[in-house]
Amino acid sequence: MHNPPAVRPKLTRSTSAHMIEVQQITKRYGHHTAIDRVSFSVAKGEVLAFLGPNGAGKTTTMRILTCFMPATEGTARVAGFDCADQPLEVKRRIGYLPETPPVYLELTVTEYLQFVGRLRGLTGKTLTSSMQREIERLGLGTVQHRLIGNLSRGYRQRVGLAQALLHDPQVLILDEPTVGLDPKQIIEIRELIKNLAGSHSVILSTHILPEATAVCQRVVIISGGRIVAEDTPDQLSARLRQSEKISLTLKSPAADTDSRLKAVQGVQNVFASGIPGTFLLECELGRDAREEVARLAVTSGWGLLELKAISMTLEDVFLQLTRDETGLPQGTVVASAEPTGQPA
């Protein structure tokens, strides 16, 4: 049994500064709710990471934004145009790269880009210059006359990204854009996405959490069809952590090093890390005890080799938030054992 479409007022173009506005969208398939009252926005020139486990609702949200299907309830706008009421206007302003590139294997790269360009309304010198721009930007010059069916997965991914960029859209929606690329190509695509910031608004869906950290200014985490967090990676880490953590490596620790470190003001717990000479210190939230710890290590002659603050990685944040689909979980947050902060 299908749900009747929600009654929607006729909307005019929005004048908001946001290029993407999603307001309380819900998508139901019969009795199954794929996404539930999802809201977020993307500013002009911003790169947003859209993260979530499989089945969380990422693809459903992207399909609504690209006008592939309508929301059951709520509104979504792209570049000021409503995705349900003005789909052609929305499609003119977006570039979309699904996880599987939408390429025709029997065409050459040049033939395919010409075909896509004409669909986008590009002709003559405008089409030629747009193709040359993307072929050069994505390193497709050596394969532009080859059949796409004979290209590697990495090159097909680049061709898919070229078609998304060909008409120089205001908004880019990229689903796993570095899948199948080698490490060098991944770095190149990440740099390209970062360079697009400012001139394009980008939503990047990825399971590769370091990728989100590398290229995105803000993160939306979805789990169980609902948004459970939205902020910068640093702010998400700050919201979740319940203590400050320090990694300390000493050349010649003494038998009483543990107890003497615990006596430092602000230090709550000291743990052996399993690496000889390295200790993990848990300190009061908001207190940086590195200066006092460094002074103690030097005056005690322990041989201070390294002293670092430990930050929660985006992976820590993601796992902590998606562990409980209702939102911020209860309990102690344990930061990554890999020191990622700056030396004292």
Side-chain angles (χ1 to χ4, degrees), residues 23-24 29 39 44 100 107 114 154 158 232 257 269 274 278 293 301 310:
Q23 298 176 351
Q24 297 288 309
Y29 300 97
S39 297
K44 293 179 180 178
T100 301
L107 298 180
Q114 285 176 335
R158 293 200 213 184
T232 66
T257 294
N269 287 298
T278 298
V293 170
I310 299 177

Side-chain angles (χ1 to χ4, degrees), residues 19 47 87 104 152 237:
M19 288 301 294
V47 181
Y104 291 105
S152 67
S237 174

Side-chain angles (χ1 to χ4, degrees), residues 18-38:
H18 293 119
M19 288 301 294
I20 298 173
E21 295 177 277
V22 176
Q23 298 176 351
Q24 297 288 309
I25 61 171
T26 296
K27 182 63 179 180
R28 298 190 188 95
Y29 300 97
H31 296 293
H32 173 67
T33 301
I35 55 174
D36 186 14
R37 292 167 292 174
V38 166

Side-chain angles (χ1 to χ4, degrees), residues 56-221:
K58 299 189 303 300
T59 297
T60 297
T61 303
M62 288 187 169
R63 287 178 174 175
I64 292 171
L65 285 173
T66 55
C67 308
F68 180 81
M69 63 185 181
T72 306
E73 298 172 4
T75 60
R77 293 177 180 268
V78 173
F81 295 97
D82 186 86
C83 293
D85 292 347
Q86 300 158 299
L88 290 179
E89 295 296 336
V90 170
K91 290 177 181 180
R92 288 189 180 101
R93 289 161 177 83
I94 62 171
Y96 178 41
L97 175 63
E99 186 172 356
T100 301
V103 294
Y104 291 105
L105 304 183
E106 67 275 16
L107 298 180
T108 67
V109 173
T110 300
E111 289 169 343
Y112 173 69
L113 293 180
Q114 285 176 335
F115 171 71
V116 172
R118 287 172 182 148
L119 288 179
R120 290 291 187 179
L122 303 177
T123 58
K125 292 182 179 179
T126 302
L127 174 57
T128 301
S129 62
S130 296
M131 288 175 53
Q132 289 175 343
R133 180 190 68 224
E134 299 311 327
I135 287 171
E136 180 178 350
R137 179 153 61 172
L138 290 162
L140 294 169
T142 59
V143 299
Q144 62 181 309
H145 301 301
R146 291 179 57 186
L147 290 176
I148 295 174
N150 294 334
L151 299 181
S152 67
R153 181 175 174 85
Y155 271 114
R156 291 184 195 179
Q157 195 76 0
R158 293 200 213 184
V159 174
L161 190 52
Q163 67 79 26
L165 288 165
L166 192 61
H167 58 299
D168 196 26
Q170 294 170 283
V171 174
L172 274 172
I173 299 178
L174 309 177
D175 194 357
E176 304 284 355
T178 60
V179 168
L181 303 184
D182 63 38
K184 182 175 181 294
Q185 293 167 342
I186 288 174
I187 292 171
E188 291 171 350
I189 296 300
R190 288 179 181 175
E191 285 301 313
L192 170 61
I193 294 171
K194 284 197 288 187
N195 291 335
L196 292 172
S199 58
H200 300 74
S201 298
V202 182
I203 292 184
L204 169 67
S205 172
T206 180
H207 290 87
I208 307 171
L209 299 180
E211 186 163 282
T213 305
V215 304
C216 298
Q217 296 125 340
R218 199 157 52 88
V219 174
V220 168
I221 298 179

